[in-house]
Amino acid sequence: MLNYNEYLELIKTRRSIRKFKDEKVSEEDIKKIIDAARYAPSGMNSQPWEYIVIRDKALIQEFVSMSEDDMKISPLEKKIFEKQMKGKKPLKLKMAQNAPVLIIAVGDTRKKISLPGQMYQLKDGKLKIGKRIPIHDNDEIFVSSMATSFLQMLTAATSLGLASQYCTIVTSPRKKVKEKLNIPSYMKIYDAAAIGYASYEPRQKYIRELDNIVHFDQYDTSKSWSDEYIAERAENKLDMKFVSVQLNEINEKSV
């Protein structure tokens, strides 16, 4: 079993990589990654997750293009954004560049009937999900279950020497992607991960200090950031300080 330091090193090594080598990922490694994901905890052990593996590079790039089209903003919106961000242009987040594999996580919404207080009716072989008794927010439990499984998939990829990117290229054009992949209406697209071998070494990542995020027994408001400081960090992209520089370098090399 991993000791704490080994585990910490694993999760510190996992980084979002946006450009990959032209190198295939074996089917064995893909199955290992998803095998790790299925052991995640879930609400009432509902295990709503399923994974669609895309290895067709042309199809992956088609999804990237769909997402870029959906994220385009109007000239007016661009003007408002630049004014709010004091003239700064939106950061171009090119995703899944040359990725040999895209793994799409989908969740079976019918599994919500296993969660506390969820009403349902089975009639003529058809399941109809009704209202829920407000004990818990079952939508949040569903999303949390998917998120836990998804993260275990990414850390498993890291343990195999693979890089990954938690990318949203299939969540914006959901309807188009579902039609393209014949995904049933009761399956909800959670997100996708590009998997492959990194073509570059990631830069340093900004991480908040441990003492600033830990509160014992009650919340310590003296540690809370002010509205002005949060706005300053957003306007100056301080959380993305190292990442944004590298993204610009990657994008320039891709032209």
Side-chain angles (χ1 to χ4, degrees), residues 43-254:
M44 302 298 287
N45 197 32
S46 54
Q47 302 178 56
W49 46 71
E50 294 182 31
Y51 289 91
I52 303 170
V53 180
I54 309 295
R55 293 176 290 187
D56 183 336
K57 279 193 172 185
L59 185 55
I60 293 172
Q61 288 310 306
E62 184 178 339
F63 290 153
V64 171
S65 297
M66 282 183 188
S67 179
E68 288 174 348
D69 288 342
D70 277 23
M71 288 192 293
K72 283 179 181 175
I73 59 177
S74 69
L76 177 60
E77 290 171 325
K78 185 177 180 182
K79 189 175 181 180
I80 292 171
F81 177 89
E82 290 180 354
K83 182 179 180 182
Q84 182 181 356
M85 299 302 287
K86 299 180 180 178
K88 295 182 177 66
K89 294 182 179 180
L91 185 65
K92 290 185 178 180
L93 297 175
K94 288 191 176 181
M95 296 178 285
Q97 294 182 62
N98 205 38
V101 177
L102 184 73
I103 303 179
I104 301 173
V106 294
D108 192 335
T109 58
R110 298 172 302 176
K111 294 291 188 73
K112 291 180 184 180
I113 67 171
S114 300
L115 302 178
Q118 182 65 62
M119 309 298 288
Y120 68 93
Q121 184 180 26
L122 184 63
K123 188 176 181 180
D124 299 327
K126 296 288 184 180
L127 190 62
K128 184 178 180 181
I129 299 178
K131 294 182 179 180
R132 62 177 177 82
I133 300 170
I135 301 172
H136 301 286
D137 189 330
N138 289 344
D139 289 337
E140 286 192 5
I141 294 173
F142 178 82
V143 171
S144 296
S145 299
M146 292 298 300
T148 307
S149 176
F150 197 85
L151 181 58
Q152 287 192 188
M153 181 177 72
L154 300 186
T155 51
T158 303
S159 75
L160 294 169
L162 291 162
S164 63
Q165 182 195 0
Y166 198 133
C167 50
T168 55
I169 61 177
V170 294
T171 56
S172 180
R174 268 195 185 95
K175 187 176 179 181
K176 297 175 187 175
V177 174
K178 290 186 80 170
E179 289 174 354
K180 189 80 176 177
L181 298 179
N182 195 35
I183 299 173
S185 59
Y186 51 81
M187 301 300 292
K188 183 176 182 179
I189 295 176
Y190 170 71
D191 223 317
I195 305 288
Y197 293 93
S199 69
Y200 64 94
E201 284 292 325
R203 286 176 179 264
Q204 179 184 352
K205 180 181 180 180
Y206 165 72
I207 299 291
R208 293 175 65 185
E209 292 295 331
L210 181 62
D211 288 344
N212 291 339
I213 63 172
V214 177
H215 307 265
F216 287 106
D217 299 322
Q218 62 180 347
Y219 188 87
D220 182 355
T221 54
S222 69
K223 296 182 180 181
S224 188
W225 287 353
S226 68
D227 292 354
E228 291 85 355
Y229 185 56
I230 289 176
E232 178 189 347
R233 294 192 70 85
E235 289 173 7
N236 294 292
K237 294 188 174 69
L238 295 182
D239 295 335
M240 293 282 288
K241 181 178 178 182
F242 301 102
V243 177
S244 59
V245 172
Q246 189 159 44
L247 282 175
N248 290 332
E249 291 174 355
I250 297 166
N251 292 342
E252 287 170 7
K253 291 176 183 177
S254 301

Side-chain angles (χ1 to χ4, degrees), residues 32-42 45 47 49 148-149 152:
K32 283 180 178 179
I33 290 168
I34 298 174
D35 189 29
R38 71 192 179 103
Y39 285 95
S42 59
N45 197 32
Q47 302 178 56
W49 46 71
T148 307
S149 176
Q152 287 192 188

Side-chain angles (χ1 to χ4, degrees), residues 1-11:
M1 184 176 289
L2 285 177
N3 63 39
Y4 174 75
N5 288 332
E6 290 171 332
Y7 172 70
L8 187 62
E9 186 61 30
L10 174 65
I11 59 176

